[in-house]
Amino acid sequence: MPNNRPRPPTKAQKGKSSTATPKKSASSQRFAERQAAKQQAAREQRRARTRTYGIVTIALVVVIVAVLVVVKVAGGGGSGSTVDVPSPPAGTPIPASTLAKLMSVPVSTLNAAPTGGILTTPQSVNNPALTAKGKPELLYIGAEFCPHCAAERWPVYIALSKFGTFSPAPGRIHSANLDGDVPTLTFYGTTYSSPYFTFTPVEVYTNKPEGNGYASLQQPTQAQSTLWQDTNGGTIPFLDFGGKQVLPSAQYSYGPLQNLPFSSVAAQVGNNSTSIGVDIDASAAQLIKTICGSLSHDQPSDVCSAVHNG
């Protein structure tokens, strides 16, 4: 009679059914958990890097904007104190030390400057004597927008300082932005006193744009206007030395002065090793010589002898 009772599993069958399968499942689970942990850590690292990059980018933008603002406010950049708004007609104050430097350049230094950069010199005329307040008159007509006038005021101021004084001191201005932006000083709003002659400055326009030109500042008298038109055709700058000599235009080119700070130009006055210093010094020496011969009767003697005998 056959024995139909179920047989117990053999040892090999026991290993396959109760031991091998459970071990394989636990190993896979642990591997999967480790992989998941690594992926989570990688995601956290990527998030941290993204946050860092974002913070650094924002900080850089803030720094760049701040630098641009500072440069704009300070008037920095390649133009060296480029000005975005018109100067007030009487200018802004010039440091006393700067004015003292301009006034104290020795006449011998001015007279020693090479004249290679001089374009125009005073010319003799046969006009009627020009006088004001009982003295020979030096008439200056210019405009604050004019870059040629801006260049010429430097040697005019230096020359005039050898014969008298200004009160109040001239202010600092610049020619119009669209007309060279040349740093200079202004005679508007000042009074000049000299025992030898009268200085009459007339600035016909400001450097403030208005319509198709610039805002008016000073109106020449009818006599001044006629003299100016008849002698010079109404061009600027114009200087008449007592009716004996006239300067019909700027003595040297304003080009090298464009967009420079006022202090940079002032620092070169009296320095004949720079092109700007040479041109200003040589121009001032010519004006002094002209004033001595046409207005002051060679006084003061120390000044006039220095330019005549230098």
Side-chain angles (χ1 to χ4, degrees), residues 83-149:
V83 186
D84 295 326
V85 295
S87 303
T92 55
I94 300 172
S97 58
T98 301
L99 291 174
K101 176 186 182 300
L102 297 178
M103 292 187 292
S104 63
V105 179
V107 177
S108 57
T109 298
L110 301 175
N111 203 46
T115 59
I118 299 300
L119 306 175
T120 304
T121 60
Q123 304 167 7
S124 297
V125 293
N126 293 316
N127 291 339
L130 186 64
T131 61
K133 301 179 182 178
K135 300 175 185 177
E137 181 182 23
L138 172 55
L139 173 65
Y140 160 85
I141 298 179
E144 296 195 337
F145 77 84
C146 163
H148 303 280
C149 306

Side-chain angles (χ1 to χ4, degrees), residues 288-304:
I288 292 172
K289 185 178 295 185
T290 303
I291 291 172
C292 288
S294 299
L295 298 172
S296 74
H297 302 289
D298 284 329
Q299 296 297 318
S301 58
D302 59 333
V303 171
C304 294

Side-chain angles (χ1 to χ4, degrees), residues 12-30:
Q13 289 174 330
K14 286 182 180 179
K16 290 181 180 180
S17 61
S18 62
T19 304
T21 299
K23 285 183 179 179
K24 183 177 181 180
S25 177
S27 175
S28 298
Q29 182 65 26
R30 287 192 297 271

Side-chain angles (χ1 to χ4, degrees), residues 213-305:
Y214 295 93
S216 297
L217 183 56
Q218 292 178 290
Q219 181 68 39
T221 66
Q222 184 60 53
Q224 291 169 346
S225 183
T226 299
L227 175 65
W228 176 31
Q229 293 293 334
D230 291 348
T231 305
N232 201 44
T235 61
I236 51 177
F238 170 69
L239 285 93
D240 188 307
F241 299 82
K244 295 181 179 181
Q245 296 193 68
V246 297
L247 182 69
S249 62
Q251 295 170 276
Y252 65 102
S253 173
Y254 70 83
L257 280 67
Q258 290 186 90
N259 300 319
L260 290 180
F262 183 94
S263 58
S264 177
V265 177
Q268 297 182 65
V269 173
N271 183 352
N272 290 337
S273 65
T274 71
S275 60
I276 290 176
V278 163
D279 288 347
I280 293 176
D281 290 356
S283 297
Q286 286 191 341
L287 294 178
I288 292 172
K289 185 178 295 185
T290 303
I291 291 172
C292 288
S294 299
L295 298 172
S296 74
H297 302 289
D298 284 329
Q299 296 297 318
S301 58
D302 59 333
V303 171
C304 294
S305 62

